Amino acid sequence: MPPRERRAAPPVPRSLPRTRGRQPAATPGGPAPPGWPALVPPPEVPGWQVPAVSWLLDHCPADYRAYAGWRRYPVALAWVATRHIEAQLVAMRQAYREARVELEDHVAAEGVAQVMADIEAEGVRLLAARRSAGLVYEALQGKRYVPRL
């Protein structure tokens, strides 16, 4: 029986995946500050603004992609995205305060508890997104992260 031929593994794509899941931060250009978006290369990497714009747009309503000015001026997009995320945080805080009272007549107790837990989890996600968007905004303004010992 002749031995089987081994096939080469398919090449690994060079571009970053377009997912919202947590991935390890790419740091070929240097360290990124704590809280830097995992799918965005550090500011020292040439062309980092392109994935940064995509990441920022992923945290805004889909309609924001229609505005050419935000792609042309990423610092403006970061400014708007940061405010949008902050407004979502305000809405989640208000929803958390009101959910139990507003939903108790319409949703079973375990359902209300699940809704409260979901709102809390979304608040944690939004806090992280706000920090990340703020770091991208600062980097787009030219500020650079210097790690401390």
Side-chain angles (χ1 to χ4, degrees):
M1 221 173 171
R4 288 189 178 180
E5 290 183 35
R6 289 196 170 192
R7 294 183 188 180
V12 176
R14 291 188 164 267
S15 63
L16 294 173
R18 301 195 88 198
T19 64
R20 294 184 108 181
R22 300 254 328 144
Q23 305 255 338
T27 57
W36 185 260
L39 297 178
V40 178
E44 292 78 18
V45 174
W48 72 274
Q49 295 92 343
V50 174
V53 166
S54 292
W55 183 87
L56 289 165
L57 286 169
D58 285 346
H59 287 80
C60 294
D63 294 342
Y64 283 28
R65 292 181 184 276
Y67 298 103
W70 288 338
R71 288 185 186 276
R72 191 174 304 129
Y73 305 105
V75 70
L77 173 61
W79 181 79
V80 169
T82 303
R83 276 146 186 78
H84 177 75
I85 294 167
E86 181 64 40
Q88 288 180 297
L89 266 168
V90 169
M92 284 296 105
R93 288 176 181 142
Q94 177 140 3
Y96 191 84
R97 285 191 302 268
E98 298 173 357
R100 194 170 307 280
V101 173
E102 294 286 328
L103 297 176
E104 70 182 353
D105 293 338
H106 309 287
V107 178
E110 62 274 0
V112 172
Q114 181 64 56
V115 168
M116 299 290 287
D118 293 345
I119 291 171
E120 185 176 351
E122 179 63 4
V124 170
R125 186 194 71 79
L126 287 169
L127 281 170
R130 181 182 64 182
R131 166 132 175 92
S132 296
L135 290 170
V136 171
Y137 179 53
E138 289 175 356
L140 288 166
Q141 291 175 326
K143 296 179 185 174
R144 293 296 178 250
Y145 171 70
V146 178
R148 297 185 198 174
L149 295 177

